Amino acid sequence: MDTFIGIDVGTGSARAGLFDGEGKLLSKHSQSIQTWRPRPHYAEQSSDDIWSAITACTRAVMKDAGVPPESVKGIGFDATCSLVAVAADGQPVTVSPDGDDAHNIIVWMDHRALAETDQVNQAGDFSVYEFVGGKISPEMEVPKLLWLKKHLPESWKRAAYFFDLPDYLTYRATGSTGRSLCSTTCKWTYLAHEAAEGRSGWQDDFFRAAGLEDLVEEGYARIGTDVKPMGAPVAQGLTETAAAELGLAPGTAVGVSIIDAHAGGIGMIGMPEKAGGETPSRLDNRLALIGGTSSCHMVVSAEKRPIPGVWGPYYSAMVPGLWLNEGGQSAVGALIDHVIFNHGATETMMQASREAGLTPYEILNQRLTELAQDGPVHALTKDLHVCPYFHGNRSPRANPHLLGMISGLQLSATLDDLARLYLATVQAIAYGTRHIIEAMNASGYAIDTLVCCGGGIKNPVFLQQHADITQCRLILPEEPEAVILGSAMLGAVAAGTYESVQAAMAAMSRPGQVIEPSTQALPYHQAKYTVFHQLYTDQLAYQKVMDAAAE
């Protein structure tokens, strides 16, 4: 039996999954990875720590499945869009003010480069802005590079390569410094549509104006001159060293890498509406919602659709030949955890969790059901409103400086209070998704279906609130590990098992549970949605008052 491995590196862990040719998961394993936070708004990781976790996970899935290394025909990698700095010999180069070379990754959610982000966005009138929703984000790589050049000049000089984390993983696996069309287009301002017409994907004038003229003069050698589409193989496959570390055969095909959320999109956006159904003839009515620490909202179209405040349009950055628009929220799982684990009733919740053998989320969901005996669950938040911009807004406001807000707190901190605040936070996140969908539909999409994966799909309250608030049908994939499945699909295409990414999508993904929206709560959610927007307006008014006082 031919098998394929998908490897995913998220914010907090590395995972590996072994799949057969039909997308059935045979075994999986995960291992946590370390994050250091030397200062506020900083988040750093280690490429060696991540690679060690990957090798452990891969060996574990092979052992659990009991298949020989030769059965693995292809392997695919995905990861967060974090910046990795390495020397010419592949050794790590520090990105930390503490100077530790082991800390050579600036994590995607690191916001140290806010000033540099503003500087880049004020560099001039360049075409690259048209393909990032109008503004560069601090979650992208150009501001991080500028921060390194300004604040750690020795590291800037020492680094022979700057990789997006997914591309670092294929470098570590194959020795190739080639880059992915996904990562370079979505996070580095590479214009894939220009490259498709035979022109340079890198824009010299933009990089010079942004203060990164070094990269232009070097011919972009440190950030990538060999950019390949998803589905293409990387070099000659696994090196002998990498194969020995992973417990696989040398020469095993390695697919061009992809960003983690985009792997989730590939893993489920092409599945049929129902089990045994036909592959959908159109995709522009579907939004792939990939949830985790943050969330991504992925839509594709045959047409180029610029959307203010939404990343893209990116050509061939997820599904080859289609334009990708990418919305998202910078804090989703991270925001819910922040709310429930930093409350006066947190210990009460945890004690109940231990005693009942349930997760904290299950305890809160259970409490919501008990509180709503005389009415619907959604109405428990009538006087409690949350603005979810605790880590800024990724889209469609595209403002990393925004802050979180809560209206309706009382002088009590019981488990009931925590349950209501948890629900209000989930609703606020869903209102953010509705806001993104409205921006996308205003630009030509007709989204009525969400295909969902990630931690949120295990939470029925999270799912039903999203269905009711967006008024979209939710389709959950039969294989919930859609992200690692998407990476495995790329390994299968690189191995030649499937002729294209689209063919792998059709053959290896299937639908599972379907959740229909209820219209019962429409008036309630419309009122709350009005408050959601008013909180933002009020925040800007507060800032204006305080800015005037500081003058």
Side-chain angles (χ1 to χ4, degrees):
M1 176 178 63
D2 290 349
T3 61
F4 307 93
I5 291 179
I7 291 177
D8 163 61
V9 178
T11 305
S13 65
R15 302 182 301 154
L18 182 71
F19 297 85
D20 68 14
E22 296 182 348
K24 179 182 178 182
L25 181 64
L26 305 176
S27 62
K28 67 176 180 177
H29 190 78
S30 67
Q31 181 168 311
S32 62
I33 57 178
Q34 290 184 277
T35 299
W36 292 268
R37 298 179 181 274
R39 296 180 185 176
H41 309 300
Y42 284 49
E44 299 169 357
Q45 291 178 338
S46 160
S47 61
D48 286 341
D49 175 63
I50 288 173
W51 186 255
S52 177
I54 286 172
T55 59
C57 290
T58 305
R59 287 181 169 276
V61 298
M62 294 297 293
K63 180 179 179 180
D64 291 347
V67 298
E70 294 75 19
S71 77
V72 178
K73 302 303 180 183
I75 184 170
F77 292 93
D78 74 76
T80 64
C81 49
S82 302
L83 179 68
V84 187
V86 297
D89 59 359
Q91 294 301 303
V93 173
T94 186
V95 296
S96 175
D98 296 341
D100 187 343
D101 272 340
H103 301 184
N104 69 319
I105 298 177
I106 300 179
V107 183
W108 66 269
M109 63 182 178
D110 183 301
H111 274 196
R112 72 181 68 182
L114 287 178
E116 286 73 22
T117 302
D118 291 340
Q119 178 181 333
V120 169
N121 281 320
Q122 296 164 9
D125 183 17
F126 299 105
S127 59
V128 297
Y129 301 121
E130 300 173 25
F131 298 93
V132 290
K135 287 184 179 180
I136 302 290
S137 165
E139 296 177 21
M140 297 175 180
E141 306 301 7
V142 170
K144 293 182 174 72
L145 290 169
L146 185 57
W147 185 93
L148 275 175
K149 180 180 178 181
K150 290 169 62 176
H151 297 277
L152 293 179
E154 286 303 313
S155 291
W156 178 258
K157 293 176 183 177
R158 289 173 54 207
Y161 305 110
F162 295 110
F163 288 104
D164 215 67
L165 181 53
D167 293 330
Y168 170 80
L169 299 180
T170 56
Y171 164 71
R172 189 78 179 249
T174 68
S176 169
T177 61
R179 311 303 169 100
S180 163
L181 195 65
C182 175
S183 58
T184 51
T185 301
C186 295
K187 305 301 174 185
W188 296 72
T189 72
Y190 186 84
L191 299 184
H193 59 285
E194 293 283 347
E197 297 293 331
R199 297 180 289 273
S200 173
W202 298 117
Q203 306 301 299
D204 294 0
D205 54 354
F206 167 72
F207 277 93
R208 291 186 188 281
L212 295 171
E213 63 281 353
D214 318 43
L215 301 179
V216 181
E217 293 162 4
E218 298 161 3
Y220 301 101
R222 289 199 282 176
I223 64 173
T225 56
D226 180 19
V227 182
K228 295 182 179 295
M230 281 69 67
V234 180
Q236 304 304 310
L238 289 179
T239 64
E240 290 191 7
T241 298
E245 293 171 333
L246 294 164
L248 300 173
T252 300
V254 175
V256 168
S257 68
I258 193 168
I259 299 167
D260 52 352
H262 302 60
I266 284 179
M268 61 182 178
I269 202 168
M271 63 187 177
E273 291 283 330
K274 57 184 179 179
E278 298 292 325
T279 301
S281 58
R282 56 177 293 196
L283 295 177
D284 66 353
N285 69 322
R286 289 187 167 195
L287 181 146
L289 175 57
I290 300 96
T293 302
S294 63
S295 71
C296 290
H297 300 64
M298 324 289 283
V299 288
V300 292
S301 170
E303 302 172 12
K304 179 177 67 174
R305 292 174 173 163
I307 306 173
V310 173
W311 295 344
Y314 300 131
Y315 182 67
S316 286
M318 187 172 81
V319 179
L322 298 181
W323 291 87
L324 167 71
N325 290 102
E326 179 185 351
Q329 299 184 73
S330 297
V332 174
L335 176 55
I336 295 171
D337 286 351
H338 175 75
V339 167
I340 70 173
F341 292 116
N342 292 279
H343 190 272
T346 296
E347 183 50 42
T348 302
M349 175 189 69
M350 295 305 296
Q351 181 64 28
S353 172
R354 291 188 290 267
E355 291 176 354
L358 300 172
T359 68
Y361 315 100
E362 290 172 322
I363 290 295
L364 294 174
N365 290 348
Q366 186 180 83
R367 189 64 195 135
L368 289 172
T369 301
E370 294 166 355
L371 288 170
Q373 287 182 351
D374 298 326
V377 166
H378 64 257
L380 293 171
T381 59
K382 176 179 179 294
D383 299 314
L384 188 59
H385 309 284
V386 175
C387 176
Y389 307 147
F390 284 56
H391 200 56
N393 175 271
R394 183 184 296 170
S395 56
R397 305 199 191 282
N399 186 344
H401 300 284
L402 292 175
L403 302 169
M405 301 168 67
I406 300 173
S407 173
L409 296 176
Q410 301 181 49
L411 198 61
S412 61
T414 66
L415 185 60
D416 290 355
D417 295 315
L418 176 54
R420 289 189 176 93
L421 181 56
Y422 154 75
L423 175 60
T425 303
V426 170
Q427 290 174 338
I429 291 167
Y431 297 135
T433 294
R434 174 176 167 176
H435 192 195
I436 292 167
I437 291 172
E438 288 179 350
M440 291 174 167
N441 286 347
S443 297
Y445 286 97
I447 297 163
D448 60 13
T449 301
L450 309 184
V451 290
C452 309
C453 70
I457 69 171
K458 302 172 186 176
N459 187 333
V461 169
F462 185 92
L463 291 171
Q464 194 62 58
Q465 293 299 307
H466 273 73
D468 294 349
I469 288 168
T470 64
Q471 285 296 292
C472 290
R473 174 194 309 109
L474 272 55
I475 303 178
L476 310 186
E478 179 183 274
E479 175 47 64
E481 298 291 359
V483 174
I484 50 176
L485 173 58
S487 285
M489 289 178 181
L490 297 182
V493 178
T497 301
Y498 294 104
E499 64 180 4
S500 67
V501 173
Q502 289 91 330
M505 289 165 57
M508 297 177 73
S509 61
R510 288 169 294 281
Q513 181 185 4
V514 177
I515 299 171
E516 298 289 347
S518 168
T519 59
Q520 177 187 7
L522 273 177
Y524 179 86
H525 285 308
Q526 183 56 50
K528 290 268 296 182
Y529 189 55
T530 299
V531 176
F532 169 82
H533 286 295
Q534 189 62 46
L535 287 170
Y536 165 74
T537 301
D538 290 346
Q539 181 173 151
L540 296 187
Y542 302 156
Q543 291 175 350
K544 185 176 181 179
V545 170
M546 296 310 297
D547 288 345
E551 291 178 355

